[in-house]
Amino acid sequence: MVRWGIVGLGDIAARAVAPAIQAHEGSDLVAICRRNPELLDQYARQFEVSNAYTSYDDMLEAGGLDAVYVATPVNLHGPQTLAALERGLHVLVEKPMAMDAAEAERMVETADAAGLRLGIAFYHRFYPINVRVREVVESGELGELIALHANTSGPFTMTPDDPKYWRVDHAQSGGGPLMDLGSHRLDIFYSLAGKAARVAAFSDQRVIPGDVEDTTSVIVQYESGVQATISALWSINPARGDYEVWCTDGHINVPFARGEEFTIERPDRSETFTLPEHELHDLPLIADFVQGVNGGTPVLTGEGGLEVQRVIDAAYTSAAESRVVAL
């Protein structure tokens, strides 16, 4: 049984992560942490957790944990992950995993040196449609993978009183929609195309407040030869969450990466497939991580998160310096 603590238990973690941990037969949610004492008490009663802390250090010092889920703003991911690893705890950290690739690399190296599991919460990877798309590509039935394209965009509607407003503060978020939304799609592309070789990007702030970008276009060339384009925007309405896979003998269109439907177009026919999503979409994420903790081979790893972070860093450098960045 993996005994979990959650730091940064807020809206998303309360709606998705905590219920998934409690539903997983090999997990037990034993401690939670957040700074607001009133909300902390509310969640402690909601999830029937008796160990509730306003201090992360106090939660770690109390012991009784095997793993920590880090769900705080991005600038805290690295320090809080390292603090847990140094106490011998496995860590599953929200995406993006760190403020930059250098910090992400320290996290991976620390976990590896300690023989501990580090996972990144790219839960989109486990939606049945995305699993099936990857299987189709890997099978070779559509020929060789050539190109990928994604829209990962929507309007930024948060107001300054929203607890998630830190996303427009670069010191806390590390960046805008490329970090927040694009990281998910870059992880799916990593699973399909492998490691990136070169990155080029344009990035602007058009409509939102704060000091992060809201409009980013990225081109990635992978070591495998696959080319990809990604639009990551907080400057449009309505939202877009689709992606496309182009092969020598077919095309896959996924209208919504967190949906239930995709279409395969071949030269002679078109087929649409429907695969219902999981009732608790984070349950496969928790199961994958626990499998790794118990000695199995997980789908999501710190190394994969680091590869995504390297592409993001390269995109920001490319946009700032108007050049193609080699990895």
Side-chain angles (χ1 to χ4, degrees):
M1 184 68 68
V2 175
R3 299 168 298 174
W4 288 83
I6 298 178
V7 59
L9 183 62
D11 177 58
I12 294 175
R15 283 189 289 108
V17 181
I21 291 174
Q22 292 190 321
H24 185 254
E25 60 182 13
S27 296
D28 186 17
L29 180 59
V30 300
I32 58 174
C33 176
R34 68 166 298 150
R35 289 175 298 181
N36 185 308
E38 294 181 356
L39 288 174
L40 178 67
D41 181 63
Q42 172 188 319
Y43 287 132
R45 286 184 278 106
Q46 177 180 340
F47 296 109
E48 299 180 346
V49 176
S50 57
N51 301 308
Y53 304 89
T54 56
S55 164
Y56 181 57
D57 287 338
D58 288 349
M59 185 177 81
L60 296 182
E61 289 295 331
L65 299 177
D66 301 303
V68 173
Y69 193 106
V70 177
T72 47
V74 182
N75 66 310
L76 299 177
H77 288 183
Q80 291 179 336
T81 294
L82 293 172
L85 292 171
E86 289 164 0
R87 288 172 171 82
L89 303 179
H90 306 281
V91 178
L92 180 57
V93 60
E94 263 297 339
K95 59 79 205 169
M97 68 182 291
M99 292 289 280
D100 55 41
E103 186 176 55
E105 191 167 8
R106 287 195 296 274
M107 295 158 70
V108 170
E109 290 175 347
T110 301
D112 288 347
L116 295 167
R117 178 59 55 193
L118 173 62
I120 316 302
F122 288 121
Y123 68 92
H124 290 193
R125 190 86 80 86
F126 299 106
Y127 273 76
I129 57 170
N130 298 326
V131 172
R132 183 59 185 142
V133 166
R134 188 166 63 253
E135 291 172 347
V136 170
V137 171
E138 290 176 350
S139 75
E141 65 181 86
L142 297 181
E144 185 180 358
L145 178 61
I146 299 295
L148 303 162
H149 174 68
N151 291 296
T152 175
S153 310
F156 188 88
T157 59
M158 297 176 192
T159 55
D161 59 344
D162 191 310
K164 298 185 289 295
Y165 199 70
W166 57 264
R167 283 170 170 77
V168 298
D169 177 11
H170 190 276
Q172 297 184 76
S173 66
L178 182 59
M179 289 276 277
D180 191 51
L181 305 176
S183 57
H184 268 304
R185 207 62 71 248
L186 283 168
D187 174 67
I188 286 182
F189 284 7
Y190 167 69
S191 76
L192 295 171
K195 292 185 176 182
R198 298 196 301 166
V199 179
F202 295 97
S203 183
D204 292 296
Q205 186 179 37
R206 300 288 300 277
V207 300
I208 67 168
D211 59 356
V212 298
E213 89 285 353
D214 61 19
T215 304
T216 305
S217 300
V218 183
I219 303 173
V220 184
Q221 182 181 52
Y222 291 88
E223 292 179 358
S224 59
V226 174
Q227 297 179 17
T229 56
I230 296 177
S231 295
L233 316 172
W234 276 341
S235 50
I236 66 164
N237 195 8
R240 290 283 300 274
D242 56 301
Y243 72 95
E244 297 176 89
V245 179
W246 294 89
C247 300
T248 53
D249 299 315
H251 166 257
I252 304 173
N253 179 54
V254 182
F256 184 42
R258 290 186 289 124
E260 300 183 343
E261 183 177 286
F262 68 95
T263 299
I264 298 179
E265 296 179 356
R266 294 176 171 87
D268 60 344
R269 68 189 188 277
S270 176
E271 297 176 276
T272 297
F273 301 86
T274 301
L275 297 173
E277 64 180 277
H278 301 286
E279 185 176 346
L280 291 174
H281 64 64
D282 271 15
L283 184 54
L285 170 71
I286 299 302
D288 179 67
F289 181 80
V290 172
Q291 175 177 295
V293 168
N294 291 333
T297 302
V299 171
L300 296 177
T301 64
E303 290 81 1
L306 174 58
E307 288 301 321
V308 169
Q309 197 66 53
R310 284 172 173 154
V311 174
I312 293 173
D313 281 16
Y316 285 139
T317 298
S318 172
E321 300 179 5
S322 299
R323 66 182 178 91
V324 175
V325 177
L327 298 177

